[in-house]
Amino acid sequence: MPVGSTILELGSGTGTLELSKYYNMVSIEHNQEWLNKYNSHYIYAPLVDDMWYNGDVLRRKLRNIDYQLILVDGPPQHRRKGILDYLDLFNWNVTVIVDDINRQYDMDVAISLAKHLEKIPTVYKYDKFFAVIKD
């Protein structure tokens, strides 16, 4: 992906700092302590019922954002599966990375997304495991 492209990340963290050196970052974040920590356009979307980001907020805020990659790295723990209930919010004609697939619930998200997109995920290990879903 060319330097200067836009990454939409679900869940910001220290990786945002590194990625923002080369890419335009749009970070969906539920934790107010992480808002505006790094060079990213932050979208505050609190969790609903402690499960997944507020879909109404995302529907409004993502409408005019053009991104070339989706990085699924939040919300934490088992909550990431909530993305499967909000597939209509995202442009899936981009590369998708699902982080932390060494955990079964994150692997399940990667497999379900790949099935939905009718693609085969590729698993990589770089410090930790992640899946890449692309053409």
Side-chain angles (χ1 to χ4, degrees), residues 51-64:
M51 287 305 299
W52 205 71
Y53 302 112
N54 185 310
D56 293 333
V57 169
L58 296 183
R59 191 166 279 108
R60 284 191 316 271
K61 298 286 186 171
L62 292 176
R63 188 172 296 141
N64 297 316

Side-chain angles (χ1 to χ4, degrees), residues 57-127:
V57 169
L58 296 183
R59 191 166 279 108
R60 284 191 316 271
K61 298 286 186 171
L62 292 176
R63 188 172 296 141
N64 297 316
I65 296 178
D66 183 33
Y67 46 88
Q68 291 72 50
L69 184 140
I70 298 173
L71 173 58
V72 181
D73 196 17
Q77 302 166 342
H78 64 281
R79 297 174 185 92
R80 292 182 191 174
K81 68 182 176 188
I83 195 172
L84 302 173
D85 295 325
Y86 292 91
L87 294 171
D88 64 308
L89 295 179
F90 301 96
N91 169 19
W92 296 109
N93 295 316
V94 300
T95 299
V96 179
I97 296 175
V98 180
D99 202 12
D100 303 314
I101 62 163
N102 48 297
R103 298 186 298 226
Q104 186 60 51
Y105 43 83
D106 292 323
M107 175 62 91
D108 292 344
V109 170
I111 290 168
S112 295
L113 281 175
K115 282 182 185 177
H116 171 75
L117 300 172
E118 298 178 348
K119 298 177 182 174
I120 297 173
T122 304
V123 174
Y124 295 92
K125 182 178 186 214
Y126 184 82
D127 291 332

Side-chain angles (χ1 to χ4, degrees), residues 24-77:
N24 297 315
M25 300 298 295
V26 176
S27 304
I28 298 170
E29 184 55 60
H30 76 283
N31 186 338
Q32 291 183 345
E33 293 177 22
W34 283 96
L35 291 177
N36 304 312
K37 246 187 159 166
Y38 303 113
N39 185 20
S40 180
H41 170 78
Y42 281 86
I43 297 172
Y44 176 59
L47 300 181
V48 174
D49 297 329
D50 194 40
M51 287 305 299
W52 205 71
Y53 302 112
N54 185 310
D56 293 333
V57 169
L58 296 183
R59 191 166 279 108
R60 284 191 316 271
K61 298 286 186 171
L62 292 176
R63 188 172 296 141
N64 297 316
I65 296 178
D66 183 33
Y67 46 88
Q68 291 72 50
L69 184 140
I70 298 173
L71 173 58
V72 181
D73 196 17
Q77 302 166 342

